[in-house]
Amino acid sequence: MSKYWSDTIRNIKPYVPGEQPQDMKYIKLNTNENPYPPSPKVMEAIQNYDLRRLRLYPDNECNGVRKAAADYYGLEKSQVFVGNGSDEVLAFAFMAFFNPGSTILFPEISYSFYPVYCELFKINFKTVPLDEEFNIGTNGFFQPNNGIVIANPNAPTAKCMSTEQIISILEKNPENVVIIDEAYIDYGGESMMKYIKDYPNLLIISTFSKSRSLAGLRIGLAFGQVELIEGINRVKNSINSYTIDSIALKGAEAAFADEAYFQENRKRIIKTRSRVISALKKMNFQVTDSCANFLFIGHQQCPAATIFKELRNRGILVRYFNKPKIDNYLRVSIGSDEEMDEFLKAVNEIITDFI
Ligand SMILES: Cc1ncc(COP(=O)(O)O)c(C=O)c1O
């Protein structure tokens, strides 16, 4: 605490990111990264970047990446925004669409950055309860509000909502922006991308950090009708016009160029996910139906906090949230097959020792 801090910063509880040990000693299943490298085309584009060009500012409009993303999803370039990771895009969107003092809604259990942005930007929020199986219903989003944010698939529960459910929320809230955070959509569930033309209040946020294996490049995107994208640009150009560096732009431009690699990578994770779910169920774990590149698991006899600690002692990092309703669950990213075998072996030992 410092006397120099503003009241907001004095009172805020910042988001706590998952550990990023730099020594590579751990099996990292704690931040939902992709275990496989980015597409060779991305790596080549970055390697071929003429470093002498670093003396110039980057393209502040991110034209190349926006064009590539628009072509990929069948949209116009003007319907795409590119930011420094989707966390930044989310923060900009909160500023662009939610007034200080207004009240937005999001699910009771969801991405823990949402309440942090609310606190930072002085936005009130109300959470919408989930059922006992962590399903998100629609009724809670039909109450008066000034905006909505939903992660689909949700984090950390890994469960997804149907497009019909999301459409009903959009239709009941025509005056408010509904943000759908699709960070994990390539692993399950159905994207809302094709509905952008129909709903002027729909903003989709996505990221290259998960299914495109580019968490380190920091690229997030927003998709919506032109007025929404203009709103986010107004925020960006009031804070920092050059959020993406030139090297990242080059890599990001190539990210959509290798569909075969993308599909193979995505399917590989989904296949490993099914195998790990079956193995965990055999060990009496409760596992939610995962639409994401991670699992949300709990064991009836062995507390999640114990498993978390014991895994860490064995060099395996997973995520534990010491929060009401989810403090007996772990979020486990899907790693490579070898990493998941190590994980399964370790949890088996831990629960056998405990019971
Ligand atoms: C639901 C959700 N949204 C957004 C993000 C942020 O991703 P990034 O800032 O790497 O694009 C994450 C990261 O884990 C997430 O889980």
Side-chain angles (χ1 to χ4, degrees):
M1 183 78 75
S2 157
K3 66 176 179 180
Y4 299 114
W5 290 357
S6 70
D7 292 342
T8 304
I9 292 311
R10 197 176 291 252
N11 294 322
I12 204 163
K13 275 206 212 77
Y15 176 75
V16 183
E19 265 182 277
Q20 290 294 349
Q22 297 301 307
D23 53 15
M24 303 297 276
K25 262 195 342 232
Y26 293 91
I27 293 183
K28 266 194 96 271
L29 308 176
N30 66 332
T31 47
N32 301 341
E33 288 145 328
N34 198 309
Y36 305 113
S39 146
K41 292 204 172 135
V42 171
M43 296 193 275
E44 193 184 302
I46 293 174
Q47 271 153 0
N48 289 341
Y49 181 75
D50 177 1
L51 292 173
R52 288 170 304 184
R53 289 186 63 83
L54 285 176
R55 71 185 183 78
L56 300 171
Y57 282 104
D59 171 15
N60 63 305
E61 292 181 353
C62 308
N63 283 296
V65 188
R66 285 170 54 223
K67 168 90 172 60
D71 289 350
Y72 187 80
Y73 291 111
L75 298 168
E76 298 296 321
K77 203 175 79 178
S78 55
Q79 296 174 311
V80 184
F81 175 85
V82 179
N84 198 292
S86 56
D87 284 337
E88 181 186 80
V89 183
L90 281 163
F92 286 177
F94 272 54
M95 272 190 273
F97 307 121
F98 306 146
N99 279 316
S102 68
T103 301
I104 67 163
L105 304 175
F106 47 80
E108 161 190 41
I109 298 165
S110 194
Y111 186 36
S112 34
F113 234 131
Y114 304 152
V116 179
Y117 295 135
C118 285
E119 235 184 294
L120 186 61
F121 305 135
K122 308 280 184 228
I123 301 159
N124 303 315
F125 63 89
K126 238 167 126 175
T127 58
V128 172
L130 311 188
D131 71 15
E132 315 81 79
E133 288 173 345
F134 302 117
N135 294 309
I136 305 175
T138 50
N139 284 350
F141 295 98
F142 299 163
Q143 62 182 305
N145 69 79
N146 305 109
I148 290 173
V149 187
I150 297 174
N152 190 47
N154 196 15
T157 64
K159 296 197 101 170
C160 47
M161 293 177 90
S162 66
T163 47
E164 291 76 26
Q165 284 181 299
I166 295 172
I167 286 170
S168 70
I169 293 171
L170 285 162
E171 291 187 344
K172 283 268 173 65
N173 291 279
E175 300 308 315
N176 306 321
V177 172
V178 177
I179 298 179
I180 305 297
D181 179 350
E182 294 194 347
Y184 300 102
I185 199 73
D186 294 326
Y187 297 108
E190 202 189 326
S191 172
M192 288 297 293
M193 214 61 90
K194 62 174 175 284
Y195 298 102
I196 281 178
K197 61 179 185 330
D198 303 322
Y199 296 101
N201 56 336
L202 168 63
L203 186 81
I204 299 174
I205 310 258
S206 79
T207 178
F208 281 2
S209 297
K210 317 294 177 185
S211 55
R212 305 261 166 201
S213 303
L214 287 169
L217 204 68
R218 309 303 302 131
I219 298 288
L221 303 107
F223 302 90
Q225 291 191 9
V226 180
E227 294 76 19
L228 292 190
I229 299 304
E230 267 177 25
I232 306 177
N233 269 312
R234 287 173 75 94
V235 174
K236 168 177 131 152
N237 287 319
S238 306
I239 293 181
N240 174 10
S241 295
Y242 305 99
T243 54
I244 318 289
D245 68 73
S246 309
I247 299 174
L249 282 176
K250 271 289 158 242
E253 258 179 67
F256 290 112
D258 199 347
E259 185 62 11
Y261 184 89
F262 167 70
Q263 291 299 344
E264 193 194 315
N265 184 327
R266 197 175 73 80
K267 285 182 189 151
R268 210 163 157 193
I269 304 275
I270 292 173
K271 198 164 158 213
T272 308
R273 179 177 77 192
S274 316
R275 185 173 72 80
V276 176
I277 291 176
S278 309
L280 286 169
K281 284 189 173 163
K282 281 194 195 127
M283 291 183 227
N284 285 327
F285 272 94
Q286 262 173 278
V287 188
T288 60
D289 291 333
S290 173
C291 298
N293 68 335
F294 58 89
L295 304 176
F296 195 54
I297 64 169
H299 197 270
Q300 269 138 21
Q301 287 130 302
C302 189
T306 306
I307 304 176
F308 170 75
K309 209 172 86 224
E310 287 297 324
L311 281 171
R312 199 171 196 292
N313 290 341
R314 289 164 167 82
I316 301 175
L317 300 180
V318 298
R319 199 79 205 262
Y320 173 64
F321 299 95
N322 194 2
K323 288 185 181 168
K325 299 197 179 172
I326 56 168
D327 59 357
N328 208 16
Y329 285 84
L330 297 171
R331 192 195 69 191
V332 182
S333 312
I334 300 296
S336 65
D337 279 306
E338 297 72 35
E339 288 173 326
M340 297 322 282
D341 286 341
E342 292 281 323
F343 163 78
L344 289 170
K345 190 164 149 260
V347 277
N348 197 21
E349 276 170 23
I350 294 164
I351 54 171
T352 312
D353 284 354
F354 186 84
I355 296 168

